[in-house]
Amino acid sequence: MNYAIETENLSKKYGESFALENVSLHIPCGRIYGLLGRNGAGKTTAMRLILGLAAPTSGRIKLFGRELANSDQSSYLRIGSSIETPGFYPELTAAENLSVFARLRGKVNKKAISQVLDLVGLPQNKKKFAEYSLGMKQRLALARSMMHDPELLILDEPTNGLDPIGIAEMRQLIKTLSCECKKTVLVSSHQLSEIEQLADWIGIIHRGKLLEECSYEELKQKERSGVRICTANRDRVIRFLTEKMGLEKCVILGNNEIEVRDQTCSSLEINKRLFQAGLEVSQIWILHSSLERHFQELTGGEGIA
């Protein structure tokens, strides 16, 4: 498989603390790779290192199969990015803003500016950036990253702060860039549902470490069912499940709840056996696996928010 980005044991240390520790990423060409993690997990740090905006403490980076040397800047010409809060001139229109950034690159192509604004769905009128909604600002940031027709896009939290309609529109736009325009996209997010609906490949990062990296299809194949039980007799119930029924994968949760992650026994059988043993259950329901549950299991029960 060809990779647009590869990192090997990439680390970044500030003082005595690691912002990123031994992270090895593999972003396939032509795919949407979702880097998922809580705020502060190290997603933006990884992107900044890949883009050369910060120097790694240790580790290696390859772009398009070539190891990135300090003197080699040519690979960056093939990348478009939107990292952190996009900055534009408030009193200029979208086209005027893009013209400024095009001049900074040394080349102004009015046709390309018009095409990229059409691509992201921004009107080419006299409306100033200061009058834009947050969704329009995010679209303009994406347009700026697309002006030079890059092969690879690196987008840091592109749906952050958007309303549900704006999120759906941005999601569809990113899919269009990948499927129709054949772009590789590395996108970070702390929103599980967005990564589930968007990414072909997923990397889960937590406290500066990459916990898992796989295709979305591989992740779906790991799906399994579980059973959650709510009972006032939590300790007695879990002893019965483990000792009498031989169910090993039982986890005590808060609010008098137990999660049974063992697939050898159905919810009906569990409920029947508990009833026969005189152990009262107030609620029992089937759980189907999701990216959220998988994330919690990988991080030792921590949620994504």
Side-chain angles (χ1 to χ4, degrees), residues 69-90:
N70 292 332
S71 59
D72 180 21
Q73 301 295 313
S74 61
S75 294
Y76 293 125
L77 299 176
R78 302 164 68 181
I79 301 174
S81 65
S82 179
I83 302 293
E84 298 172 335
T85 305
F88 291 97
Y89 296 97

Side-chain angles (χ1 to χ4, degrees), residues 202-239:
I202 293 173
I204 296 176
I205 191 168
H206 185 63
R207 296 183 179 178
K209 296 181 179 181
L210 187 69
L211 301 184
E212 185 173 58
E213 183 182 58
C214 64
S215 71
Y216 184 65
E217 287 305 313
E218 289 173 323
L219 188 62
K220 293 291 285 183
Q221 289 172 9
K222 297 178 183 179
E223 281 195 353
R224 50 176 174 64
S225 296
V227 176
R228 185 167 291 183
I229 301 165
C230 185
T231 173
N233 304 308
R234 190 178 64 180
D235 294 339
R236 291 178 59 200
V237 167
I238 203 161
R239 278 198 303 271

Side-chain angles (χ1 to χ4, degrees), residues 132-171:
Y132 274 17
S133 66
L134 180 57
M136 294 174 73
K137 291 176 180 178
Q138 294 281 44
R139 284 173 176 270
L140 185 57
L142 186 56
R144 183 176 65 182
S145 70
M146 289 285 296
M147 276 196 303
H148 58 298
D149 193 25
E151 300 169 46
L152 167 65
L153 286 170
I154 297 179
L155 308 175
D156 188 20
E157 300 271 6
T159 62
N160 200 23
L162 299 183
D163 60 28
I165 294 176
I167 290 173
E169 290 174 346
M170 182 61 71
R171 183 198 312 135

Side-chain angles (χ1 to χ4, degrees), residues 51-218:
L51 288 167
L53 301 176
T57 302
S58 60
R60 300 193 304 170
I61 301 170
K62 282 186 180 181
L63 296 177
F64 309 106
R66 296 175 56 190
E67 188 159 346
L68 193 61
N70 292 332
S71 59
D72 180 21
Q73 301 295 313
S74 61
S75 294
Y76 293 125
L77 299 176
R78 302 164 68 181
I79 301 174
S81 65
S82 179
I83 302 293
E84 298 172 335
T85 305
F88 291 97
Y89 296 97
E91 296 304 311
L92 299 183
T93 66
E96 289 168 345
N97 264 291
L98 294 186
S99 293
V100 171
F101 289 105
R103 280 197 293 271
L104 291 174
R105 283 184 170 270
K107 185 178 181 181
V108 179
N109 185 330
K110 291 185 178 180
K111 184 178 179 181
I113 290 172
S114 178
Q115 287 175 338
V116 79
L117 287 175
D118 286 340
L119 180 63
V120 301
L122 279 179
Q124 299 182 49
N125 55 26
K126 296 299 182 180
K127 191 171 187 176
K128 297 178 180 179
F129 179 78
E131 301 168 340
Y132 274 17
S133 66
L134 180 57
M136 294 174 73
K137 291 176 180 178
Q138 294 281 44
R139 284 173 176 270
L140 185 57
L142 186 56
R144 183 176 65 182
S145 70
M146 289 285 296
M147 276 196 303
H148 58 298
D149 193 25
E151 300 169 46
L152 167 65
L153 286 170
I154 297 179
L155 308 175
D156 188 20
E157 300 271 6
T159 62
N160 200 23
L162 299 183
D163 60 28
I165 294 176
I167 290 173
E169 290 174 346
M170 182 61 71
R171 183 198 312 135
Q172 186 55 51
L173 181 53
I174 292 171
K175 285 183 175 181
T176 298
L177 292 173
S178 174
C179 297
E180 297 181 16
C181 302
K182 308 303 180 185
K183 308 294 183 186
T184 303
V185 184
L186 170 59
V187 56
S188 73
S189 182
H190 66 276
Q191 298 177 344
L192 287 156
S193 61
E194 280 310 299
I195 292 298
E196 278 190 297
Q197 296 179 71
L198 184 62
D200 305 311
W201 284 73
I202 293 173
I204 296 176
I205 191 168
H206 185 63
R207 296 183 179 178
K209 296 181 179 181
L210 187 69
L211 301 184
E212 185 173 58
E213 183 182 58
C214 64
S215 71
Y216 184 65
E217 287 305 313
E218 289 173 323

